[in-house]
Amino acid sequence: DEAFGQRPWKGIQKEYVARYGRYLDSIKSKAGVSEKEIKVSPEYQALDEEAKAAEAQVKPQVDQLTAEVTRVQAKLAAVTDPFQNQRGKLTVINYNVETAHGGAKDRYRQQAAKKKNEIVSIDMPTDENPSRTQVVRMNYATLEKTYNDLRDEKALKLGQKADLLKPSQEAKKKRD
Protein backbone atom coordinates (compact mmCIF):
# COMPACT_ATOMS: atom_id res chain seq x y z
CA ASP A 1 0.00 0.00 0.00
CA GLU A 2 2.89 2.38 0.80
CA ALA A 3 4.63 1.97 -2.58
CA PHE A 4 1.63 1.60 -4.89
CA GLY A 5 -1.45 2.93 -3.17
CA GLN A 6 -0.31 6.08 -1.43
CA ARG A 7 2.89 6.89 -3.34
CA PRO A 8 2.49 5.62 -6.91
CA TRP A 9 5.37 7.77 -8.17
CA LYS A 10 7.98 5.60 -6.42
CA GLY A 11 8.39 3.40 -9.52
CA ILE A 12 8.84 6.47 -11.74
CA GLN A 13 11.51 7.79 -9.38
CA LYS A 14 13.44 4.51 -9.51
CA GLU A 15 13.27 4.48 -13.32
CA TYR A 16 14.45 8.12 -13.47
CA VAL A 17 17.42 7.40 -11.19
CA ALA A 18 18.45 4.43 -13.33
CA ARG A 19 18.13 6.35 -16.62
CA TYR A 20 19.90 9.45 -15.36
CA GLY A 21 22.67 7.30 -13.88
CA ARG A 22 23.21 5.68 -17.28
CA TYR A 23 23.28 9.12 -18.92
CA LEU A 24 25.87 10.43 -16.46
CA ASP A 25 28.01 7.34 -17.00
CA SER A 26 27.87 7.91 -20.76
CA ILE A 27 29.13 11.52 -20.55
CA LYS A 28 31.70 10.92 -17.79
CA SER A 29 34.54 10.26 -20.24
CA LYS A 30 33.91 13.59 -22.02
CA ALA A 31 33.50 15.63 -18.85
CA GLY A 32 36.94 17.24 -18.54
CA VAL A 33 37.67 17.45 -22.27
CA SER A 34 35.35 20.35 -23.07
CA GLU A 35 36.66 22.37 -20.14
CA LYS A 36 40.25 21.83 -21.24
CA GLU A 37 39.36 22.83 -24.79
CA ILE A 38 37.80 26.05 -23.55
CA LYS A 39 40.76 26.92 -21.33
CA VAL A 40 43.22 26.69 -24.22
CA SER A 41 41.06 28.75 -26.57
CA PRO A 42 42.37 32.24 -27.47
CA GLU A 43 39.16 33.89 -26.27
CA TYR A 44 39.49 32.32 -22.80
CA GLN A 45 43.18 33.20 -22.65
CA ALA A 46 42.44 36.85 -23.50
CA LEU A 47 39.72 37.04 -20.84
CA ASP A 48 42.02 35.36 -18.31
CA GLU A 49 44.79 37.87 -19.03
CA GLU A 50 42.31 40.73 -18.68
CA ALA A 51 41.16 39.41 -15.29
CA LYS A 52 44.72 38.95 -14.05
CA ALA A 53 45.72 42.44 -15.24
CA ALA A 54 42.73 44.03 -13.51
CA GLU A 55 43.61 42.21 -10.29
CA ALA A 56 47.31 43.10 -10.50
CA GLN A 57 46.47 46.76 -11.09
CA VAL A 58 44.70 47.14 -7.73
CA LYS A 59 46.73 44.61 -5.71
CA PRO A 60 48.82 47.20 -3.78
CA GLN A 61 45.74 49.15 -2.71
CA VAL A 62 43.86 45.95 -1.84
CA ASP A 63 46.80 44.70 0.24
CA GLN A 64 46.94 48.03 2.08
CA LEU A 65 43.20 47.95 2.78
CA THR A 66 43.47 44.34 3.94
CA ALA A 67 46.20 45.33 6.41
CA GLU A 68 44.08 48.24 7.66
CA VAL A 69 41.03 45.99 8.08
CA THR A 70 43.18 43.53 10.04
CA ARG A 71 44.41 46.33 12.30
CA VAL A 72 40.89 47.65 12.87
CA GLN A 73 39.54 44.14 13.47
CA ALA A 74 42.17 43.51 16.15
CA LYS A 75 41.11 46.68 17.96
CA LEU A 76 37.45 45.86 17.50
CA ALA A 77 37.99 42.40 18.97
CA ALA A 78 39.64 43.96 22.02
CA VAL A 79 36.77 46.42 22.54
CA THR A 80 33.78 44.19 21.78
CA ASP A 81 33.59 42.05 24.94
CA PRO A 82 34.08 44.89 27.44
CA PHE A 83 31.56 47.04 25.55
CA GLN A 84 28.96 44.29 25.36
CA ASN A 85 29.42 43.47 29.05
CA GLN A 86 28.92 47.10 30.07
CA ARG A 87 25.96 47.51 27.71
CA GLY A 88 24.34 44.35 29.09
CA LYS A 89 24.73 45.52 32.68
CA LEU A 90 23.28 48.93 31.77
CA THR A 91 20.34 47.29 30.03
CA VAL A 92 19.51 45.37 33.20
CA ILE A 93 19.79 48.51 35.32
CA ASN A 94 17.61 50.48 32.87
CA TYR A 95 15.01 47.71 32.97
CA ASN A 96 15.03 47.95 36.75
CA VAL A 97 14.53 51.72 36.50
CA GLU A 98 11.50 51.19 34.27
CA THR A 99 9.90 48.55 36.50
CA ALA A 100 10.77 50.01 39.92
CA HIS A 101 8.53 52.29 41.97
CA GLY A 102 9.25 55.22 44.25
CA GLY A 103 12.70 55.58 45.75
CA ALA A 104 13.99 52.42 44.07
CA LYS A 105 13.88 54.23 40.71
CA ASP A 106 16.28 56.88 41.98
CA ARG A 107 18.62 54.22 43.38
CA TYR A 108 18.68 52.44 39.99
CA ARG A 109 19.23 55.73 38.16
CA GLN A 110 22.22 56.46 40.39
CA GLN A 111 23.46 52.93 39.79
CA ALA A 112 23.14 53.50 36.01
CA ALA A 113 25.05 56.79 36.22
CA LYS A 114 27.75 55.10 38.27
CA LYS A 115 27.99 52.23 35.75
CA LYS A 116 28.29 54.72 32.84
CA ASN A 117 31.17 56.47 34.60
CA GLU A 118 32.89 53.23 35.60
CA ILE A 119 36.36 52.97 34.03
CA VAL A 120 37.11 49.78 32.10
CA SER A 121 40.67 48.75 31.24
CA ILE A 122 41.23 47.29 27.78
CA ASP A 123 44.36 45.73 26.27
CA MET A 124 44.23 47.60 22.96
CA PRO A 125 46.54 46.55 20.11
CA THR A 126 48.90 49.31 19.00
CA ASP A 127 48.82 50.76 15.48
CA GLU A 128 52.50 50.05 14.86
CA ASN A 129 52.46 46.41 15.98
CA PRO A 130 49.05 44.75 16.47
CA SER A 131 50.65 41.89 18.43
CA ARG A 132 51.68 44.39 21.14
CA THR A 133 49.05 45.92 23.37
CA GLN A 134 48.71 48.94 25.57
CA VAL A 135 46.25 49.37 28.41
CA VAL A 136 43.54 51.90 27.58
CA ARG A 137 41.04 53.05 30.18
CA MET A 138 37.56 54.13 29.06
CA ASN A 139 34.18 54.93 30.51
CA TYR A 140 30.99 53.65 28.85
CA ALA A 141 30.47 56.63 26.53
CA THR A 142 34.05 56.46 25.22
CA LEU A 143 33.82 52.68 24.94
CA GLU A 144 30.59 52.92 22.93
CA LYS A 145 32.01 55.62 20.65
CA THR A 146 35.22 53.62 20.09
CA TYR A 147 33.23 50.47 19.31
CA ASN A 148 30.95 52.25 16.84
CA ASP A 149 33.83 54.14 15.19
CA LEU A 150 35.87 50.96 14.72
CA ARG A 151 32.88 49.09 13.34
CA ASP A 152 32.15 51.95 10.89
CA GLU A 153 35.81 52.18 9.86
CA LYS A 154 35.92 48.44 9.18
CA ALA A 155 32.76 48.65 7.06
CA LEU A 156 34.19 51.61 5.13
CA LYS A 157 37.48 49.82 4.41
CA LEU A 158 35.69 46.64 3.32
CA GLY A 159 33.46 48.72 1.02
CA GLN A 160 36.50 50.41 -0.51
CA LYS A 161 38.13 47.02 -1.01
CA ALA A 162 35.00 45.66 -2.70
CA ASP A 163 34.89 48.69 -5.01
CA LEU A 164 38.52 48.17 -5.99
CA LEU A 165 37.97 44.48 -6.68
CA LYS A 166 34.76 44.96 -8.66
CA PRO A 167 36.43 45.29 -12.14
CA SER A 168 38.60 42.21 -11.62
CA GLN A 169 35.65 40.21 -10.25
CA GLU A 170 33.55 41.19 -13.26
CA ALA A 171 36.39 40.18 -15.60
CA LYS A 172 36.68 36.81 -13.84
CA LYS A 173 32.92 36.32 -14.05
CA LYS A 174 33.00 37.10 -17.78
CA ARG A 175 35.92 34.69 -18.23
CA ASP A 176 34.23 31.90 -16.29
Side-chain angles (χ1 to χ4, degrees), residues 109-138:
R109 284 189 180 118
Q110 290 172 355
Q111 192 177 3
K114 187 176 179 183
K115 183 55 80 176
K116 285 181 180 179
N117 291 324
E118 182 180 314
I119 301 296
V120 178
S121 296
I122 300 170
D123 291 331
M124 184 75 76
T126 61
D127 286 334
E128 301 80 32
N129 185 358
S131 62
R132 295 192 59 200
T133 59
Q134 63 185 11
V135 176
V136 179
R137 300 169 57 81
M138 299 181 199

Side-chain angles (χ1 to χ4, degrees), residues 5-176:
Q6 293 181 1
R7 298 192 302 174
W9 62 84
K10 294 295 280 182
I12 296 169
Q13 286 178 331
K14 284 183 182 179
E15 185 178 337
Y16 173 79
V17 168
R19 285 184 179 189
Y20 197 64
R22 285 193 304 270
Y23 169 71
L24 291 177
D25 287 340
S26 72
I27 64 168
K28 191 185 292 184
S29 61
K30 304 176 216 168
V33 175
S34 60
E35 184 178 345
K36 289 176 186 172
E37 288 173 359
I38 290 172
K39 285 189 175 183
V40 297
S41 72
E43 183 183 0
Y44 181 89
Q45 293 294 325
L47 292 172
D48 189 43
E49 288 300 320
E50 183 182 324
K52 287 178 181 176
E55 190 173 347
Q57 184 178 5
V58 295
K59 186 172 180 1
Q61 294 128 326
V62 169
D63 290 346
Q64 180 185 358
L65 284 171
T66 301
E68 290 175 16
V69 167
T70 302
R71 178 188 56 80
V72 170
Q73 180 58 40
K75 287 185 173 190
L76 189 59
V79 170
T80 299
D81 281 344
F83 169 67
Q84 289 178 343
N85 289 339
Q86 291 296 96
R87 183 176 58 188
K89 291 173 185 175
L90 276 168
T91 301
V92 170
I93 294 169
N94 287 333
Y95 172 78
N96 289 336
V97 168
E98 292 172 6
T99 58
H101 301 288
K105 273 190 183 235
D106 291 333
R107 263 196 331 271
Y108 285 124
R109 284 189 180 118
Q110 290 172 355
Q111 192 177 3
K114 187 176 179 183
K115 183 55 80 176
K116 285 181 180 179
N117 291 324
E118 182 180 314
I119 301 296
V120 178
S121 296
I122 300 170
D123 291 331
M124 184 75 76
T126 61
D127 286 334
E128 301 80 32
N129 185 358
S131 62
R132 295 192 59 200
T133 59
Q134 63 185 11
V135 176
V136 179
R137 300 169 57 81
M138 299 181 199
N139 63 8
Y140 180 75
T142 308
L143 193 58
E144 182 178 33
K145 182 179 179 345
T146 302
Y147 175 80
N148 289 333
D149 289 349
L150 288 170
R151 200 181 60 197
D152 293 345
E153 184 180 355
K154 180 182 174 186
L156 177 71
K157 301 288 182 194
L158 288 173
Q160 290 172 343
K161 184 177 172 183
D163 288 342
L164 283 173
L165 289 173
K166 188 179 276 184
S168 67
Q169 293 299 327
E170 288 174 359
K172 285 180 183 179
K173 193 179 206 181
K174 186 177 177 183
R175 174 200 67 194
D176 292 344

